[in-house]
Amino acid sequence: MYANEFDATMQLIRGKWKIRILYQLNGNEHSRFNTLERNMKPITHKILAEQIQQMIDAGLVERHDFHEQPLHVEYNLTKKGQSLIPVVDVICDWGLANIDPSELKETLCD
Amino acid sequence: MYANEFDATMQLIRGKWKIRILYQLNGNEHSRFNTLERNMKPITHKILAEQIQQMIDAGLVERHDFHEQPLHVEYNLTKKGQSLIPVVDVICDWGLANIDPSELKETLCD
DNA sequence: CTGTATCCTGATAGATACTG
DNA sequence: CAGTATCTATCAGGATACAG
């Protein structure tokens, strides 16, 4: 087993928002901050900024600043970020096959 | 995307110890409590008991009490628990392929 | 529009000691 | 041997306000 690789990878997808951001960016290239904020509704301004920054640090997301006024910044998945999608899909699929729908909580986003 | 299935599945493998227990039980059928405790060294007595209980509740592990004196209890993965192994492997494999070894922390168990 | 700083709360992990 | 109870430390998530 590779517990450390597991932990390191989990670090990247763990938490309430990371995969949701991953899927958002995967579905919508050139996403802007406030668009993301709007699309992921109950997320907090601060948390979104925090999570995105962590994903940038991890090399999953790249930030493109247009240096315009008013501020214009776009986010995209890097190759590394894209390569994570199939991994997350496997997790979702297992849940889909093995988790009783009645156990699932309220839909947060879909 | 299936955020809820993802969250529900993550719930089962999240945390510092759950996959390690999963791998331990996968590699050694009929594991006993103190054997697990010894094999997973820095784990705490309380934490191990807690995590196992959660995995039993989730249907991943089954407990077999031999009703002997001194106490003799064995743990095994259920089918559901076993089916989680390939999922966890995918995560480990991605880490193996994408994470710089220098970023990895000390080996906890291997 | 994009980002940072403060403060608060709940969940998780761990040290330690006790019970049948 | 197997399991529970207490208390404490740490961290992720969130509410809110402020700044370039």
Side-chain angles (χ1 to χ4, degrees), chain B:
Chain B
M1 77 165 294
Y2 305 102
N4 300 301
E5 280 76 8
F6 177 88
D7 288 344
T9 307
M10 287 294 280
Q11 198 71 266
L12 307 181
I13 57 179
R14 147 168 32 204
K16 192 169 173 181
W17 299 106
K18 289 231 173 62
I19 16 95
R20 297 172 211 268
I21 296 174
L22 209 64
Y23 275 118
Q24 272 294 325
L25 292 179
N26 192 48
N28 315 286
E29 287 288 295
H30 313 299
S31 291
R32 299 182 62 166
F33 191 91
N34 65 349
T35 307
L36 286 172
E37 194 174 358
R38 228 177 310 116
N39 289 344
M40 309 183 53
K41 208 48 156 280
I43 198 173
T44 295
H45 195 82
K46 177 208 163 197
I47 299 295
L48 179 57
E50 205 172 86
Q51 299 293 304
I52 289 180
Q53 190 52 56
Q54 288 173 14
M55 295 172 81
I56 291 173
D57 293 343
L60 302 179
V61 171
E62 57 192 5
R63 193 190 113 113
H64 182 9
D65 189 338
F66 286 81
H67 297 292
E68 290 175 2
Q69 208 56 250
L71 292 183
H72 181 179
V73 178
E74 291 184 2
Y75 296 97
N76 287 289
L77 288 186
T78 60
K79 294 278 182 213
K80 189 173 176 184
Q82 290 166 22
S83 73
L84 213 41
I85 296 287
V87 175
V88 179
D89 282 340
V90 168
I91 299 176
C92 291
D93 289 343
W94 187 93
L96 209 51
N98 292 279
I99 306 221
D100 181 354
S102 69
E103 298 174 38
L104 296 177
K105 302 196 183 136
E106 285 296 292
T107 297
L108 213 60
C109 59
D110 39 356

Side-chain angles (χ1 to χ4, degrees), chain A:
Chain A
M1 77 165 295
Y2 303 103
N4 300 302
E5 279 77 8
F6 178 87
D7 288 343
T9 306
M10 285 294 280
Q11 198 72 267
L12 307 180
I13 58 179
R14 146 170 30 204
K16 192 167 172 181
W17 299 107
K18 289 229 171 63
I19 17 98
R20 297 171 212 269
I21 297 174
L22 208 65
Y23 275 118
Q24 271 295 323
L25 291 178
N26 192 50
N28 316 286
E29 287 290 293
H30 312 299
S31 291
R32 300 183 61 167
F33 191 91
N34 65 350
T35 309
L36 285 172
E37 195 175 357
R38 229 177 309 112
N39 289 345
M40 309 183 51
K41 208 46 157 282
I43 198 174
T44 296
H45 193 81
K46 178 211 162 197
I47 297 297
L48 179 56
E50 205 173 84
Q51 300 293 304
I52 288 179
Q53 189 53 55
Q54 290 174 11
M55 293 171 81
I56 291 173
D57 294 342
L60 302 179
V61 171
E62 58 191 5
R63 192 190 115 114
H64 182 7
D65 190 337
F66 286 81
H67 297 292
E68 290 177 358
Q69 208 56 247
L71 293 183
H72 181 179
V73 178
E74 291 183 359
Y75 297 97
N76 288 290
L77 287 187
T78 59
K79 296 278 181 210
K80 190 174 176 184
Q82 289 166 24
S83 73
L84 213 41
I85 297 286
V87 175
V88 179
D89 282 341
V90 168
I91 299 176
C92 291
D93 289 344
W94 187 92
L96 209 50
N98 293 277
I99 307 222
D100 181 354
S102 68
E103 299 174 37
L104 296 177
K105 304 200 183 131
E106 284 297 291
T107 297
L108 214 59
C109 60
D110 38 359

